[in-house]
């Protein structure tokens, strides 16, 4: 934590606080054993700039020192003001607000506004925001034809990713990424349309007619209507389930520089439009180690089948034969994921309406045994956001393949906030990592008849 020091203005006599490193810059001293030269590199916010290492050379023809960090284990790729995580303490905050308070008091759209614009909206700002989001939910009729081209058993995430990318062709104005008005319009379009596309993918899967958005309903109420409305003239969402889904959306809205957000920023850094950026981010989310884990948790719980089989399953995970315990472990959290705690509580409220999902008992038993087991304790593996979310989604009536789409809908606001922050950051450029080349040196071409 950076220290602040009180200083006095000699002219006015006023006292004010300044960051300590402005007066006494913190530095890192490096001695290169190859050349015996000494370098001083500034430290800011607990980091050194990788480019400051480039000056460390053995001679004029040396490229200069680089860092090697596969999977970005210890590299910050940006400065951000959106989301704060303390993985050791299990803390998650959006724009400074603890996730627990936001989940208790806000709607998802209020949180999306906060994440995007930095402050909780006033009532007037919220009303305008909700109005705009509600009035951009329709998609072009050709989108329906586009979706009809998918097989009935196409994975909903495949349909979701492709259709979001296809939206780019409907909105060529989205290429004006440096135009503030255009950018805000695309942000509203994307947040509004992701539930519609997700619901259409679900209805297509079941061979049911698509349901158009209902502007009288809330963001999640309308989503439930587009999913589950049958012949009734007006769909009335169950308020407990509508709120539970809204809470799940709040919990999934952003999570700083995770795999898909890094993809969003990376594609965005080439100045591509936000529709294709979002499609790329959603593709990264699809993987089973990221947002696809919620689907895998359900498959795992079904495979285990009953509580008494849990010890045997844990044994297989530990020996490496049973794969990973899905929904457990996290790159950042080395403590209980705060989102998992809220989801566990929300599950109880949902089950009061839907009846208890029997898979919950297997999940609770898995958690109990894993948290007492040395293998998991030593590696600090705790339940993550995906461990309990799938059980709720199943109770709400979603097929397992649709779970990751339910993650992608709210994460769209986080991706867009990170994309916008990246675009407005003067330090950012096209993302382009370096490599350590370990392949062949130069060799001459060999004609095909002389190979092998
Ligand atoms: N089950 C069993 N062992 C595990 C697990 C797990 N779920 N997660 C990590 N380990 C072990 C791993 O084998 C390794 O052991 P060792 O040191 O003996 O080789 C150690 O713990 C460290 O694992 P890692 O793979 O180096 O950790 P990572 O930070 O690269 O991976 C992770 C993080 C989330 C990919 C990983 O924990 C995992 O695969 N979990 C299961 C998938 C999952 O639930 N993903 C959702 C993440 S939360 C939502 C999101 O952000 O998308």
């Amino acid at each position: 934590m950076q220290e602040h020091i009180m200083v006095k203005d000699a002219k006015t006599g006023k006292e004010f606080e300044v960051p300590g490193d402005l007066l006494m810059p913190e530095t890192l001293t490096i001695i290169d054993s190859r050349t015996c030269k000494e370098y001083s590199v500034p430290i800011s916010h607990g980091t050194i700039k990788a480019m400051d290492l480039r000056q460390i050379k053995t001679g004029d023809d040396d490229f200069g020192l680089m860092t090697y960090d596969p999977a970005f284990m210890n590299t910050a790729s940006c400065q951000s003001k959106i989301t704060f995580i303390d993985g050791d303490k299990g803390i998650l905050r959006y724009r400074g607000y603890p996730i627990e308070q936001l989940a208790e008091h806000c709607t998802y759209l209020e949180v999306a506004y906060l994440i995007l614009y930095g402050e909780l909206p006033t009532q007037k700002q919220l009303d305008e925001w909700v109005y705009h989001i509600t009035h951009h939910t329709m998609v072009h009729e050709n989108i329906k034809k586009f979706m009809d081209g998918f097989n009935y058993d196409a994975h909903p995430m495949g349909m979701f990713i492709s259709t979001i990318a296809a939206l780019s062709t409907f909105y060529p104005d989205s290429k004006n990424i440096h135009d503030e008005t255009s950018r805000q319009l695309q942000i509203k379009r994307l947040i509004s349309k992701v539930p519609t596309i997700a619901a259409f993918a679900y209805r297509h899967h079941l061979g049911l007619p698509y349901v158009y958005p209902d502007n009288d309903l809330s963001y999640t109420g309308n989503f439930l209507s587009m999913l589950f409305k049958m012949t009734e003239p007006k769909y009335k969402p169950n308020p407990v389930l509508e709120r539970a889904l809204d809470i799940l959306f709040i919990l999934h809205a952003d999570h700083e520089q995770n795999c898909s957000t890094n993809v969003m920023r990376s594609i965005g850094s080439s100045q591509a439009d936000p529709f294709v950026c979002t499609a790329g981010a959603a593709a990264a989310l699809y993987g089973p180690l990221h947002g696809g884990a919620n689907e895998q948790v359900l498959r795992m719980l079904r495979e285990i089948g009953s509580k008494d089989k849990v010890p045997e399953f844990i044994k297989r995970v530990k020996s490496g034969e049973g794969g990973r315990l899905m929904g457990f472990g996290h790159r950042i959290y080395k403590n209980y994921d705060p989102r998992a705690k809220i989801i566990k509580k929300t599950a109880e409220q949902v089950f009061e309406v839907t009846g208890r999902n029997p898979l919950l008992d297997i999940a609770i038993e898995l958690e109990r045994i894993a948290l007492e087991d040395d293998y998991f304790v030593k590696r600090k593996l705790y339940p993550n956001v995906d461990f309990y979310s799938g059980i709720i989604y199943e109770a709400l009536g979603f097929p397992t393949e649709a779970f990751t789409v339910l993650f992608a809908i709210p994460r769209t606001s986080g991706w867009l906030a990170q994309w916008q922050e990246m675009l407005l950051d003067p330090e950012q450029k096209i993302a382009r990592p370096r490599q350590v080349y370990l392949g062949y040196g130069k060799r001459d071409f060999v004609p095909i008849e002389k190979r092998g």
Side-chain angles (χ1 to χ4, degrees), residues 56-183:
I56 303 176
K57 295 179 176 194
T58 51
D60 285 345
D61 58 349
D62 183 1
F63 180 76
L65 208 62
M66 288 194 295
T67 56
Y68 174 58
D69 188 12
F72 306 114
M73 295 289 286
N74 196 34
T75 295
S77 65
C78 63
Q79 299 189 344
S80 182
K81 293 183 175 168
I82 301 172
T83 293
F84 171 80
I85 302 174
D86 183 328
D88 290 325
K89 295 196 183 123
I91 292 174
L92 169 61
R93 297 183 200 130
Y94 298 154
R95 302 281 188 183
Y97 293 104
I99 190 68
E100 294 80 5
Q101 293 181 22
L102 295 172
E104 189 176 343
H105 300 292
C106 292
T107 61
Y108 163 68
L109 283 187
E110 216 174 338
V111 169
Y113 185 99
L114 169 72
I115 287 174
L116 277 154
Y117 304 112
E119 296 297 337
L120 283 167
T122 62
Q123 189 60 55
K124 184 167 172 282
Q125 287 167 329
L126 182 62
D127 292 346
E128 279 173 15
W129 173 242
V130 172
Y131 177 88
H132 286 302
I133 299 299
T134 308
H135 288 82
H136 279 291
T137 46
M138 297 283 265
V139 290
H140 194 287
E141 282 295 287
N142 282 354
I143 286 285
K144 285 180 14 192
K145 290 188 211 149
F146 177 82
M147 295 196 87
D148 281 343
F150 289 110
N151 272 354
Y152 78 94
D153 59 352
H155 194 286
M157 269 308 271
M159 291 193 258
F160 182 81
I161 294 164
S162 324
T163 313
I164 298 292
L167 282 184
S168 158
T169 65
F170 290 84
Y171 301 111
D173 58 321
S174 65
K175 289 181 181 24
N176 304 327
I177 54 163
H178 297 300
D179 178 321
E180 167 73 9
T181 313
S182 167
R183 217 170 42 234

Side-chain angles (χ1 to χ4, degrees), residues 71 73 252 255 258-260 284-285 287-294 296-297 317-318 323-334 337 339 375-376 379-387 407 411:
M73 295 289 286
H252 285 89
H255 213 231
N258 53 80
C259 177
S260 56
L285 187 76
L289 295 189
H290 192 5
N294 53 18
Q296 299 308 323
V297 170
V317 168
K318 282 165 38 181
R324 291 196 160 190
L325 176 47
M326 298 312 283
F328 254 69
H330 200 277
R331 171 65 59 79
I332 307 288
Y333 292 120
K334 300 302 165 198
D337 183 334
R339 301 168 298 174
Y375 174 97
F376 296 91
R379 290 170 177 78
K380 298 187 175 170
L381 301 170
Y382 291 86
N384 60 47
V385 70
D386 291 318
F387 193 64
F407 192 151
R411 183 54 60 87

Side-chain angles (χ1 to χ4, degrees), residues 133 137 160 164 189-201 219-220 222-223 226-227 249 405 409:
I133 299 299
T137 46
F160 182 81
I164 298 292
R189 279 178 174 156
L190 265 158
I191 294 177
S192 307
K193 291 181 204 309
V194 283
T196 313
I197 290 169
F200 280 17
Y219 190 75
T220 41
N222 171 51
F223 180 47
M226 291 189 292
L227 290 163
F249 279 10
V405 177
I409 294 172

Side-chain angles (χ1 to χ4, degrees), residues 364-407:
I364 290 175
E365 182 68 354
L366 256 182
E367 180 188 328
R368 189 186 68 76
I369 295 185
L371 293 185
E372 284 173 357
D373 192 298
D374 222 33
Y375 174 97
F376 296 91
V377 173
K378 243 177 37 208
R379 290 170 177 78
K380 298 187 175 170
L381 301 170
Y382 291 86
N384 60 47
V385 70
D386 291 318
F387 193 64
Y388 287 107
S389 61
I391 298 174
I392 304 190
Y393 294 147
E394 187 171 77
L396 291 173
F398 293 102
T400 315
E401 309 82 64
F403 290 178
T404 310
V405 177
L406 296 167
F407 192 151

